[in-house]
Amino acid sequence: ATPELNFSLWFTKHVNLNSQILYTKILENSEDAIQVPDLLVNAQLSYTSIWFNDNLDFQAGVDMHWHQAYFAPSYDPVIQQFYVQQGFQVPAVPVLDLFLNAKIRRARIVVKYNNFLMMFRDYGNIPTPYYPGIRNIIDFGFDWSFYD
């Protein structure tokens, strides 16, 4: 069973907190075949506004993803399969992503700095034992529609 709690709080007209909390409990799990964290949290704190006579619509903020420490399935590249393991517990490390989404008339811009906390420490998210997750990197996207 996986109960889920979703909520949204508006602190001001422009500042919003969205959150999702999942609690997963495997009731019957023969030989620990299914391994998932008991607690998973996703949250987003953002500032949204429209400036310059409705010509600049933007959203800026931070996304946070966190899960409780657990024994994640390991990956064997030789057989290209995941398998159940009980020797390496994936740590409970938060992942913070900074983002900016903007729309200027017919153009859209997306900038995202993935795994911001890795700037301050030498480790980050480990989705499966001995394989690091996304390093701190900047993603950029641009879209321009040439029609009215």
Side-chain angles (χ1 to χ4, degrees), residues 56-92:
L56 174 62
D57 184 359
F58 76 97
Q59 179 187 35
V62 60
D63 282 327
M64 190 272 299
H65 311 282
W66 177 86
H67 61 75
Q68 192 172 22
Y70 74 109
F71 292 102
S74 193
Y75 183 72
D76 188 345
V78 175
I79 60 172
Q80 298 180 357
Q81 293 286 321
F82 285 92
Y83 62 93
V84 175
Q85 59 87 26
Q86 295 291 321
F88 184 97
Q89 190 173 36
V90 172

PDB file of all heavy atoms in Angstrom, residues 56-92:
ATOM      1  N   LEU A  56       6.864  39.265 -20.161  1.00  0.00           N
ATOM      2  CA  LEU A  56       7.792  38.312 -19.540  1.00  0.00           C
ATOM      3  C   LEU A  56       7.040  37.521 -18.471  1.00  0.00           C
ATOM      4  O   LEU A  56       6.696  38.046 -17.414  1.00  0.00           O
ATOM      5  CB  LEU A  56       8.990  39.026 -18.916  1.00  0.00           C
ATOM      6  CG  LEU A  56       9.947  38.142 -18.106  1.00  0.00           C
ATOM      7  CD1 LEU A  56      10.576  37.069 -18.982  1.00  0.00           C
ATOM      8  CD2 LEU A  56      11.007  38.988 -17.443  1.00  0.00           C
ATOM      9  N   ASP A  57       6.775  36.264 -18.757  1.00  0.00           N
ATOM     10  CA  ASP A  57       6.110  35.346 -17.847  1.00  0.00           C
ATOM     11  C   ASP A  57       7.186  34.371 -17.367  1.00  0.00           C
ATOM     12  O   ASP A  57       7.795  33.676 -18.185  1.00  0.00           O
ATOM     13  CB  ASP A  57       4.992  34.617 -18.601  1.00  0.00           C
ATOM     14  CG  ASP A  57       4.181  33.699 -17.712  1.00  0.00           C
ATOM     15  OD1 ASP A  57       4.486  33.590 -16.513  1.00  0.00           O
ATOM     16  OD2 ASP A  57       3.237  33.087 -18.236  1.00  0.00           O
ATOM     17  N   PHE A  58       7.460  34.326 -16.056  1.00  0.00           N
ATOM     18  CA  PHE A  58       8.553  33.460 -15.613  1.00  0.00           C
ATOM     19  C   PHE A  58       8.240  32.774 -14.292  1.00  0.00           C
ATOM     20  O   PHE A  58       7.367  33.183 -13.533  1.00  0.00           O
ATOM     21  CB  PHE A  58       9.864  34.240 -15.514  1.00  0.00           C
ATOM     22  CG  PHE A  58       9.958  35.137 -14.312  1.00  0.00           C
ATOM     23  CD1 PHE A  58      10.601  34.709 -13.173  1.00  0.00           C
ATOM     24  CD2 PHE A  58       9.396  36.401 -14.326  1.00  0.00           C
ATOM     25  CE1 PHE A  58      10.682  35.525 -12.070  1.00  0.00           C
ATOM     26  CE2 PHE A  58       9.476  37.224 -13.228  1.00  0.00           C
ATOM     27  CZ  PHE A  58      10.125  36.785 -12.086  1.00  0.00           C
ATOM     28  N   GLN A  59       9.011  31.718 -14.054  1.00  0.00           N
ATOM     29  CA  GLN A  59       8.951  30.945 -12.819  1.00  0.00           C
ATOM     30  C   GLN A  59      10.377  30.573 -12.457  1.00  0.00           C
ATOM     31  O   GLN A  59      11.127  30.064 -13.297  1.00  0.00           O
ATOM     32  CB  GLN A  59       8.101  29.693 -13.013  1.00  0.00           C
ATOM     33  CG  GLN A  59       8.023  28.821 -11.776  1.00  0.00           C
ATOM     34  CD  GLN A  59       7.318  27.500 -12.046  1.00  0.00           C
ATOM     35  OE1 GLN A  59       7.436  26.930 -13.121  1.00  0.00           O
ATOM     36  NE2 GLN A  59       6.605  27.006 -11.048  1.00  0.00           N
ATOM     37  N   ALA A  60      10.767  30.825 -11.220  1.00  0.00           N
ATOM     38  CA  ALA A  60      12.099  30.471 -10.741  1.00  0.00           C
ATOM     39  C   ALA A  60      11.953  29.782  -9.394  1.00  0.00           C
ATOM     40  O   ALA A  60      11.048  30.111  -8.615  1.00  0.00           O
ATOM     41  CB  ALA A  60      12.973  31.711 -10.615  1.00  0.00           C
ATOM     42  N   GLY A  61      12.839  28.826  -9.131  1.00  0.00           N
ATOM     43  CA  GLY A  61      12.724  28.155  -7.847  1.00  0.00           C
ATOM     44  C   GLY A  61      13.675  26.998  -7.681  1.00  0.00           C
ATOM     45  O   GLY A  61      14.679  26.880  -8.386  1.00  0.00           O
ATOM     46  N   VAL A  62      13.303  26.125  -6.765  1.00  0.00           N
ATOM     47  CA  VAL A  62      14.120  24.962  -6.436  1.00  0.00           C
ATOM     48  C   VAL A  62      13.218  23.733  -6.325  1.00  0.00           C
ATOM     49  O   VAL A  62      12.130  23.789  -5.763  1.00  0.00           O
ATOM     50  CB  VAL A  62      14.927  25.200  -5.132  1.00  0.00           C
ATOM     51  CG1 VAL A  62      14.019  25.465  -3.953  1.00  0.00           C
ATOM     52  CG2 VAL A  62      15.867  24.059  -4.845  1.00  0.00           C
ATOM     53  N   ASP A  63      13.679  22.624  -6.910  1.00  0.00           N
ATOM     54  CA  ASP A  63      13.034  21.315  -6.770  1.00  0.00           C
ATOM     55  C   ASP A  63      13.861  20.495  -5.793  1.00  0.00           C
ATOM     56  O   ASP A  63      15.097  20.518  -5.849  1.00  0.00           O
ATOM     57  CB  ASP A  63      13.006  20.560  -8.106  1.00  0.00           C
ATOM     58  CG  ASP A  63      11.939  21.049  -9.046  1.00  0.00           C
ATOM     59  OD1 ASP A  63      10.876  21.464  -8.574  1.00  0.00           O
ATOM     60  OD2 ASP A  63      12.170  20.998 -10.266  1.00  0.00           O
ATOM     61  N   MET A  64      13.193  19.764  -4.912  1.00  0.00           N
ATOM     62  CA  MET A  64      13.896  18.916  -3.964  1.00  0.00           C
ATOM     63  C   MET A  64      13.326  17.502  -4.060  1.00  0.00           C
ATOM     64  O   MET A  64      12.106  17.314  -4.107  1.00  0.00           O
ATOM     65  CB  MET A  64      13.706  19.440  -2.534  1.00  0.00           C
ATOM     66  CG  MET A  64      14.600  18.765  -1.492  1.00  0.00           C
ATOM     67  SD  MET A  64      13.991  17.264  -0.716  1.00  0.00           S
ATOM     68  CE  MET A  64      12.514  17.778   0.094  1.00  0.00           C
ATOM     69  N   HIS A  65      14.222  16.524  -4.120  1.00  0.00           N
ATOM     70  CA  HIS A  65      13.848  15.105  -4.136  1.00  0.00           C
ATOM     71  C   HIS A  65      14.644  14.412  -3.033  1.00  0.00           C
ATOM     72  O   HIS A  65      15.861  14.596  -2.931  1.00  0.00           O
ATOM     73  CB  HIS A  65      14.183  14.459  -5.488  1.00  0.00           C
ATOM     74  CG  HIS A  65      13.687  15.253  -6.647  1.00  0.00           C
ATOM     75  ND1 HIS A  65      12.372  15.246  -7.043  1.00  0.00           N
ATOM     76  CD2 HIS A  65      14.318  16.103  -7.482  1.00  0.00           C
ATOM     77  CE1 HIS A  65      12.221  16.045  -8.077  1.00  0.00           C
ATOM     78  NE2 HIS A  65      13.388  16.576  -8.354  1.00  0.00           N
ATOM     79  N   TRP A  66      13.966  13.623  -2.217  1.00  0.00           N
ATOM     80  CA  TRP A  66      14.628  12.917  -1.126  1.00  0.00           C
ATOM     81  C   TRP A  66      13.924  11.584  -0.901  1.00  0.00           C
ATOM     82  O   TRP A  66      12.702  11.489  -1.025  1.00  0.00           O
ATOM     83  CB  TRP A  66      14.563  13.741   0.163  1.00  0.00           C
ATOM     84  CG  TRP A  66      15.164  13.049   1.332  1.00  0.00           C
ATOM     85  CD1 TRP A  66      16.479  13.042   1.700  1.00  0.00           C
ATOM     86  CD2 TRP A  66      14.484  12.256   2.300  1.00  0.00           C
ATOM     87  NE1 TRP A  66      16.651  12.290   2.831  1.00  0.00           N
ATOM     88  CE2 TRP A  66      15.433  11.792   3.226  1.00  0.00           C
ATOM     89  CE3 TRP A  66      13.145  11.877   2.468  1.00  0.00           C
ATOM     90  CZ2 TRP A  66      15.108  10.981   4.289  1.00  0.00           C
ATOM     91  CZ3 TRP A  66      12.823  11.060   3.544  1.00  0.00           C
ATOM     92  CH2 TRP A  66      13.800  10.626   4.442  1.00  0.00           C
ATOM     93  N   HIS A  67      14.720  10.569  -0.584  1.00  0.00           N
ATOM     94  CA  HIS A  67      14.155   9.275  -0.198  1.00  0.00           C
ATOM     95  C   HIS A  67      14.921   8.745   0.990  1.00  0.00           C
ATOM     96  O   HIS A  67      16.094   9.067   1.192  1.00  0.00           O
ATOM     97  CB  HIS A  67      14.181   8.266  -1.354  1.00  0.00           C
ATOM     98  CG  HIS A  67      15.552   7.964  -1.855  1.00  0.00           C
ATOM     99  ND1 HIS A  67      16.435   7.156  -1.177  1.00  0.00           N
ATOM    100  CD2 HIS A  67      16.208   8.369  -2.958  1.00  0.00           C
ATOM    101  CE1 HIS A  67      17.572   7.072  -1.856  1.00  0.00           C
ATOM    102  NE2 HIS A  67      17.451   7.809  -2.937  1.00  0.00           N
ATOM    103  N   GLN A  68      14.248   7.928   1.763  1.00  0.00           N
ATOM    104  CA  GLN A  68      14.865   7.296   2.912  1.00  0.00           C
ATOM    105  C   GLN A  68      15.924   6.301   2.433  1.00  0.00           C
ATOM    106  O   GLN A  68      15.813   5.752   1.332  1.00  0.00           O
ATOM    107  CB  GLN A  68      13.779   6.581   3.698  1.00  0.00           C
ATOM    108  CG  GLN A  68      14.166   6.115   5.064  1.00  0.00           C
ATOM    109  CD  GLN A  68      12.953   5.598   5.814  1.00  0.00           C
ATOM    110  OE1 GLN A  68      11.946   5.228   5.214  1.00  0.00           O
ATOM    111  NE2 GLN A  68      13.047   5.557   7.132  1.00  0.00           N
ATOM    112  N   ALA A  69      16.958   6.069   3.249  1.00  0.00           N
ATOM    113  CA  ALA A  69      17.994   5.097   2.892  1.00  0.00           C
ATOM    114  C   ALA A  69      17.359   3.709   2.748  1.00  0.00           C
ATOM    115  O   ALA A  69      16.460   3.341   3.498  1.00  0.00           O
ATOM    116  CB  ALA A  69      19.076   5.063   3.961  1.00  0.00           C
ATOM    117  N   TYR A  70      17.820   2.965   1.732  1.00  0.00           N
ATOM    118  CA  TYR A  70      17.284   1.623   1.488  1.00  0.00           C
ATOM    119  C   TYR A  70      18.271   0.820   0.642  1.00  0.00           C
ATOM    120  O   TYR A  70      19.226   1.354   0.100  1.00  0.00           O
ATOM    121  CB  TYR A  70      15.913   1.679   0.822  1.00  0.00           C
ATOM    122  CG  TYR A  70      15.923   2.077  -0.646  1.00  0.00           C
ATOM    123  CD1 TYR A  70      15.644   1.146  -1.635  1.00  0.00           C
ATOM    124  CD2 TYR A  70      16.218   3.375  -1.040  1.00  0.00           C
ATOM    125  CE1 TYR A  70      15.647   1.496  -2.978  1.00  0.00           C
ATOM    126  CE2 TYR A  70      16.222   3.742  -2.375  1.00  0.00           C
ATOM    127  CZ  TYR A  70      15.939   2.800  -3.330  1.00  0.00           C
ATOM    128  OH  TYR A  70      15.948   3.154  -4.647  1.00  0.00           O
ATOM    129  N   PHE A  71      18.029  -0.487   0.551  1.00  0.00           N
ATOM    130  CA  PHE A  71      18.860  -1.360  -0.264  1.00  0.00           C
ATOM    131  C   PHE A  71      18.295  -1.384  -1.683  1.00  0.00           C
ATOM    132  O   PHE A  71      17.394  -2.162  -1.996  1.00  0.00           O
ATOM    133  CB  PHE A  71      18.905  -2.783   0.315  1.00  0.00           C
ATOM    134  CG  PHE A  71      19.637  -2.859   1.615  1.00  0.00           C
ATOM    135  CD1 PHE A  71      18.946  -2.947   2.814  1.00  0.00           C
ATOM    136  CD2 PHE A  71      21.017  -2.820   1.653  1.00  0.00           C
ATOM    137  CE1 PHE A  71      19.609  -3.003   4.017  1.00  0.00           C
ATOM    138  CE2 PHE A  71      21.703  -2.879   2.857  1.00  0.00           C
ATOM    139  CZ  PHE A  71      20.997  -2.968   4.039  1.00  0.00           C
ATOM    140  N   ALA A  72      18.811  -0.518  -2.528  1.00  0.00           N
ATOM    141  CA  ALA A  72      18.328  -0.426  -3.912  1.00  0.00           C
ATOM    142  C   ALA A  72      18.826  -1.622  -4.719  1.00  0.00           C
ATOM    143  O   ALA A  72      19.894  -2.179  -4.426  1.00  0.00           O
ATOM    144  CB  ALA A  72      18.829   0.865  -4.553  1.00  0.00           C
ATOM    145  N   PRO A  73      18.075  -2.017  -5.735  1.00  0.00           N
ATOM    146  CA  PRO A  73      18.572  -3.087  -6.610  1.00  0.00           C
ATOM    147  C   PRO A  73      19.900  -2.669  -7.246  1.00  0.00           C
ATOM    148  O   PRO A  73      20.081  -1.514  -7.620  1.00  0.00           O
ATOM    149  CB  PRO A  73      17.487  -3.231  -7.665  1.00  0.00           C
ATOM    150  CG  PRO A  73      16.257  -2.674  -7.032  1.00  0.00           C
ATOM    151  CD  PRO A  73      16.739  -1.587  -6.117  1.00  0.00           C
ATOM    152  N   SER A  74      20.819  -3.607  -7.353  1.00  0.00           N
ATOM    153  CA  SER A  74      22.118  -3.340  -7.966  1.00  0.00           C
ATOM    154  C   SER A  74      22.068  -3.710  -9.446  1.00  0.00           C
ATOM    155  O   SER A  74      21.180  -4.446  -9.875  1.00  0.00           O
ATOM    156  CB  SER A  74      23.207  -4.148  -7.257  1.00  0.00           C
ATOM    157  OG  SER A  74      24.480  -3.686  -7.635  1.00  0.00           O
ATOM    158  N   TYR A  75      23.020  -3.212 -10.206  1.00  0.00           N
ATOM    159  CA  TYR A  75      23.036  -3.452 -11.652  1.00  0.00           C
ATOM    160  C   TYR A  75      24.299  -4.207 -12.035  1.00  0.00           C
ATOM    161  O   TYR A  75      25.396  -3.864 -11.608  1.00  0.00           O
ATOM    162  CB  TYR A  75      22.984  -2.121 -12.402  1.00  0.00           C
ATOM    163  CG  TYR A  75      22.924  -2.276 -13.901  1.00  0.00           C
ATOM    164  CD1 TYR A  75      21.767  -2.723 -14.520  1.00  0.00           C
ATOM    165  CD2 TYR A  75      24.026  -1.981 -14.693  1.00  0.00           C
ATOM    166  CE1 TYR A  75      21.701  -2.876 -15.894  1.00  0.00           C
ATOM    167  CE2 TYR A  75      23.968  -2.128 -16.065  1.00  0.00           C
ATOM    168  CZ  TYR A  75      22.813  -2.563 -16.659  1.00  0.00           C
ATOM    169  OH  TYR A  75      22.752  -2.723 -18.020  1.00  0.00           O
ATOM    170  N   ASP A  76      24.146  -5.238 -12.847  1.00  0.00           N
ATOM    171  CA  ASP A  76      25.277  -6.009 -13.359  1.00  0.00           C
ATOM    172  C   ASP A  76      25.400  -5.730 -14.851  1.00  0.00           C
ATOM    173  O   ASP A  76      24.560  -6.182 -15.640  1.00  0.00           O
ATOM    174  CB  ASP A  76      25.056  -7.498 -13.116  1.00  0.00           C
ATOM    175  CG  ASP A  76      26.280  -8.332 -13.459  1.00  0.00           C
ATOM    176  OD1 ASP A  76      27.194  -7.822 -14.143  1.00  0.00           O
ATOM    177  OD2 ASP A  76      26.319  -9.499 -13.042  1.00  0.00           O
ATOM    178  N   PRO A  77      26.429  -4.973 -15.273  1.00  0.00           N
ATOM    179  CA  PRO A  77      26.547  -4.625 -16.692  1.00  0.00           C
ATOM    180  C   PRO A  77      26.838  -5.820 -17.601  1.00  0.00           C
ATOM    181  O   PRO A  77      26.527  -5.785 -18.787  1.00  0.00           O
ATOM    182  CB  PRO A  77      27.706  -3.629 -16.731  1.00  0.00           C
ATOM    183  CG  PRO A  77      28.452  -3.842 -15.478  1.00  0.00           C
ATOM    184  CD  PRO A  77      27.494  -4.387 -14.473  1.00  0.00           C
ATOM    185  N   VAL A  78      27.395  -6.902 -17.063  1.00  0.00           N
ATOM    186  CA  VAL A  78      27.701  -8.079 -17.878  1.00  0.00           C
ATOM    187  C   VAL A  78      26.424  -8.716 -18.401  1.00  0.00           C
ATOM    188  O   VAL A  78      26.303  -9.041 -19.588  1.00  0.00           O
ATOM    189  CB  VAL A  78      28.552  -9.094 -17.081  1.00  0.00           C
ATOM    190  CG1 VAL A  78      28.757 -10.361 -17.879  1.00  0.00           C
ATOM    191  CG2 VAL A  78      29.887  -8.480 -16.696  1.00  0.00           C
ATOM    192  N   ILE A  79      25.449  -8.885 -17.524  1.00  0.00           N
ATOM    193  CA  ILE A  79      24.184  -9.504 -17.942  1.00  0.00           C
ATOM    194  C   ILE A  79      23.103  -8.458 -18.231  1.00  0.00           C
ATOM    195  O   ILE A  79      21.995  -8.799 -18.617  1.00  0.00           O
ATOM    196  CB  ILE A  79      23.684 -10.515 -16.898  1.00  0.00           C
ATOM    197  CG1 ILE A  79      23.444  -9.835 -15.542  1.00  0.00           C
ATOM    198  CG2 ILE A  79      24.640 -11.681 -16.770  1.00  0.00           C
ATOM    199  CD1 ILE A  79      22.778 -10.716 -14.507  1.00  0.00           C
ATOM    200  N   GLN A  80      23.434  -7.193 -18.004  1.00  0.00           N
ATOM    201  CA  GLN A  80      22.533  -6.058 -18.244  1.00  0.00           C
ATOM    202  C   GLN A  80      21.206  -6.227 -17.518  1.00  0.00           C
ATOM    203  O   GLN A  80      20.135  -6.037 -18.078  1.00  0.00           O
ATOM    204  CB  GLN A  80      22.311  -5.855 -19.746  1.00  0.00           C
ATOM    205  CG  GLN A  80      23.574  -5.527 -20.484  1.00  0.00           C
ATOM    206  CD  GLN A  80      23.353  -5.326 -21.967  1.00  0.00           C
ATOM    207  OE1 GLN A  80      22.262  -5.473 -22.474  1.00  0.00           O
ATOM    208  NE2 GLN A  80      24.413  -4.981 -22.668  1.00  0.00           N
ATOM    209  N   GLN A  81      21.304  -6.569 -16.237  1.00  0.00           N
ATOM    210  CA  GLN A  81      20.125  -6.793 -15.402  1.00  0.00           C
ATOM    211  C   GLN A  81      20.323  -6.188 -14.016  1.00  0.00           C
ATOM    212  O   GLN A  81      21.443  -6.120 -13.508  1.00  0.00           O
ATOM    213  CB  GLN A  81      19.873  -8.299 -15.222  1.00  0.00           C
ATOM    214  CG  GLN A  81      19.470  -9.019 -16.472  1.00  0.00           C
ATOM    215  CD  GLN A  81      18.047  -8.701 -16.875  1.00  0.00           C
ATOM    216  OE1 GLN A  81      17.161  -8.584 -16.050  1.00  0.00           O
ATOM    217  NE2 GLN A  81      17.830  -8.538 -18.163  1.00  0.00           N
ATOM    218  N   PHE A  82      19.218  -5.774 -13.406  1.00  0.00           N
ATOM    219  CA  PHE A  82      19.228  -5.395 -12.007  1.00  0.00           C
ATOM    220  C   PHE A  82      18.984  -6.651 -11.185  1.00  0.00           C
ATOM    221  O   PHE A  82      18.314  -7.576 -11.636  1.00  0.00           O
ATOM    222  CB  PHE A  82      18.121  -4.369 -11.716  1.00  0.00           C
ATOM    223  CG  PHE A  82      18.448  -3.005 -12.220  1.00  0.00           C
ATOM    224  CD1 PHE A  82      18.043  -2.603 -13.487  1.00  0.00           C
ATOM    225  CD2 PHE A  82      19.163  -2.112 -11.431  1.00  0.00           C
ATOM    226  CE1 PHE A  82      18.346  -1.339 -13.954  1.00  0.00           C
ATOM    227  CE2 PHE A  82      19.474  -0.841 -11.895  1.00  0.00           C
ATOM    228  CZ  PHE A  82      19.060  -0.454 -13.158  1.00  0.00           C
ATOM    229  N   TYR A  83      19.540  -6.681  -9.972  1.00  0.00           N
ATOM    230  CA  TYR A  83      19.329  -7.828  -9.097  1.00  0.00           C
ATOM    231  C   TYR A  83      19.210  -7.354  -7.648  1.00  0.00           C
ATOM    232  O   TYR A  83      19.668  -6.269  -7.287  1.00  0.00           O
ATOM    233  CB  TYR A  83      20.456  -8.863  -9.238  1.00  0.00           C
ATOM    234  CG  TYR A  83      21.820  -8.338  -8.854  1.00  0.00           C
ATOM    235  CD1 TYR A  83      22.307  -8.487  -7.561  1.00  0.00           C
ATOM    236  CD2 TYR A  83      22.630  -7.700  -9.788  1.00  0.00           C
ATOM    237  CE1 TYR A  83      23.553  -7.999  -7.204  1.00  0.00           C
ATOM    238  CE2 TYR A  83      23.874  -7.218  -9.444  1.00  0.00           C
ATOM    239  CZ  TYR A  83      24.333  -7.375  -8.153  1.00  0.00           C
ATOM    240  OH  TYR A  83      25.565  -6.880  -7.800  1.00  0.00           O
ATOM    241  N   VAL A  84      18.579  -8.177  -6.817  1.00  0.00           N
ATOM    242  CA  VAL A  84      18.373  -7.867  -5.409  1.00  0.00           C
ATOM    243  C   VAL A  84      19.687  -8.015  -4.673  1.00  0.00           C
ATOM    244  O   VAL A  84      20.407  -8.997  -4.852  1.00  0.00           O
ATOM    245  CB  VAL A  84      17.307  -8.813  -4.807  1.00  0.00           C
ATOM    246  CG1 VAL A  84      17.157  -8.596  -3.313  1.00  0.00           C
ATOM    247  CG2 VAL A  84      15.981  -8.633  -5.525  1.00  0.00           C
ATOM    248  N   GLN A  85      20.002  -7.025  -3.830  1.00  0.00           N
ATOM    249  CA  GLN A  85      21.226  -7.081  -3.022  1.00  0.00           C
ATOM    250  C   GLN A  85      20.928  -6.537  -1.626  1.00  0.00           C
ATOM    251  O   GLN A  85      20.008  -5.753  -1.444  1.00  0.00           O
ATOM    252  CB  GLN A  85      22.359  -6.288  -3.691  1.00  0.00           C
ATOM    253  CG  GLN A  85      22.089  -4.821  -3.940  1.00  0.00           C
ATOM    254  CD  GLN A  85      22.436  -3.933  -2.748  1.00  0.00           C
ATOM    255  OE1 GLN A  85      23.291  -4.271  -1.934  1.00  0.00           O
ATOM    256  NE2 GLN A  85      21.755  -2.809  -2.642  1.00  0.00           N
ATOM    257  N   GLN A  86      21.704  -6.965  -0.649  1.00  0.00           N
ATOM    258  CA  GLN A  86      21.547  -6.515   0.737  1.00  0.00           C
ATOM    259  C   GLN A  86      22.870  -6.035   1.328  1.00  0.00           C
ATOM    260  O   GLN A  86      23.003  -5.934   2.542  1.00  0.00           O
ATOM    261  CB  GLN A  86      20.995  -7.659   1.602  1.00  0.00           C
ATOM    262  CG  GLN A  86      19.609  -8.099   1.239  1.00  0.00           C
ATOM    263  CD  GLN A  86      18.561  -7.060   1.575  1.00  0.00           C
ATOM    264  OE1 GLN A  86      18.622  -6.399   2.591  1.00  0.00           O
ATOM    265  NE2 GLN A  86      17.592  -6.902   0.692  1.00  0.00           N
ATOM    266  N   GLY A  87      23.857  -5.706   0.477  1.00  0.00           N
ATOM    267  CA  GLY A  87      25.174  -5.332   0.971  1.00  0.00           C
ATOM    268  C   GLY A  87      25.479  -3.844   0.927  1.00  0.00           C
ATOM    269  O   GLY A  87      26.389  -3.390   1.607  1.00  0.00           O
ATOM    270  N   PHE A  88      24.748  -3.068   0.141  1.00  0.00           N
ATOM    271  CA  PHE A  88      25.034  -1.637  -0.017  1.00  0.00           C
ATOM    272  C   PHE A  88      23.731  -0.865   0.147  1.00  0.00           C
ATOM    273  O   PHE A  88      22.825  -0.998  -0.663  1.00  0.00           O
ATOM    274  CB  PHE A  88      25.616  -1.372  -1.410  1.00  0.00           C
ATOM    275  CG  PHE A  88      26.024   0.062  -1.641  1.00  0.00           C
ATOM    276  CD1 PHE A  88      27.338   0.452  -1.475  1.00  0.00           C
ATOM    277  CD2 PHE A  88      25.093   1.014  -2.030  1.00  0.00           C
ATOM    278  CE1 PHE A  88      27.715   1.770  -1.692  1.00  0.00           C
ATOM    279  CE2 PHE A  88      25.457   2.320  -2.250  1.00  0.00           C
ATOM    280  CZ  PHE A  88      26.774   2.712  -2.078  1.00  0.00           C
ATOM    281  N   GLN A  89      23.669  -0.084   1.210  1.00  0.00           N
ATOM    282  CA  GLN A  89      22.464   0.717   1.439  1.00  0.00           C
ATOM    283  C   GLN A  89      22.648   2.080   0.784  1.00  0.00           C
ATOM    284  O   GLN A  89      23.604   2.804   1.073  1.00  0.00           O
ATOM    285  CB  GLN A  89      22.199   0.877   2.929  1.00  0.00           C
ATOM    286  CG  GLN A  89      20.856   1.491   3.222  1.00  0.00           C
ATOM    287  CD  GLN A  89      20.540   1.474   4.703  1.00  0.00           C
ATOM    288  OE1 GLN A  89      21.417   1.640   5.541  1.00  0.00           O
ATOM    289  NE2 GLN A  89      19.276   1.274   5.027  1.00  0.00           N
ATOM    290  N   VAL A  90      21.747   2.424  -0.118  1.00  0.00           N
ATOM    291  CA  VAL A  90      21.777   3.716  -0.793  1.00  0.00           C
ATOM    292  C   VAL A  90      21.438   4.781   0.242  1.00  0.00           C
ATOM    293  O   VAL A  90      20.409   4.690   0.912  1.00  0.00           O
ATOM    294  CB  VAL A  90      20.772   3.742  -1.968  1.00  0.00           C
ATOM    295  CG1 VAL A  90      20.657   5.124  -2.554  1.00  0.00           C
ATOM    296  CG2 VAL A  90      21.193   2.741  -3.032  1.00  0.00           C
ATOM    297  N   PRO A  91      22.314   5.795   0.413  1.00  0.00           N
ATOM    298  CA  PRO A  91      22.072   6.787   1.467  1.00  0.00           C
ATOM    299  C   PRO A  91      20.918   7.730   1.139  1.00  0.00           C
ATOM    300  O   PRO A  91      20.530   7.908  -0.008  1.00  0.00           O
ATOM    301  CB  PRO A  91      23.398   7.555   1.520  1.00  0.00           C
ATOM    302  CG  PRO A  91      23.994   7.394   0.173  1.00  0.00           C
ATOM    303  CD  PRO A  91      23.546   6.047  -0.325  1.00  0.00           C
ATOM    304  N   ALA A  92      20.388   8.336   2.188  1.00  0.00           N
ATOM    305  CA  ALA A  92      19.303   9.311   2.061  1.00  0.00           C
ATOM    306  C   ALA A  92      19.916  10.684   1.811  1.00  0.00           C
ATOM    307  O   ALA A  92      20.184  11.433   2.741  1.00  0.00           O
ATOM    308  CB  ALA A  92      18.459   9.318   3.324  1.00  0.00           C
TER     309      ALA A  92
END
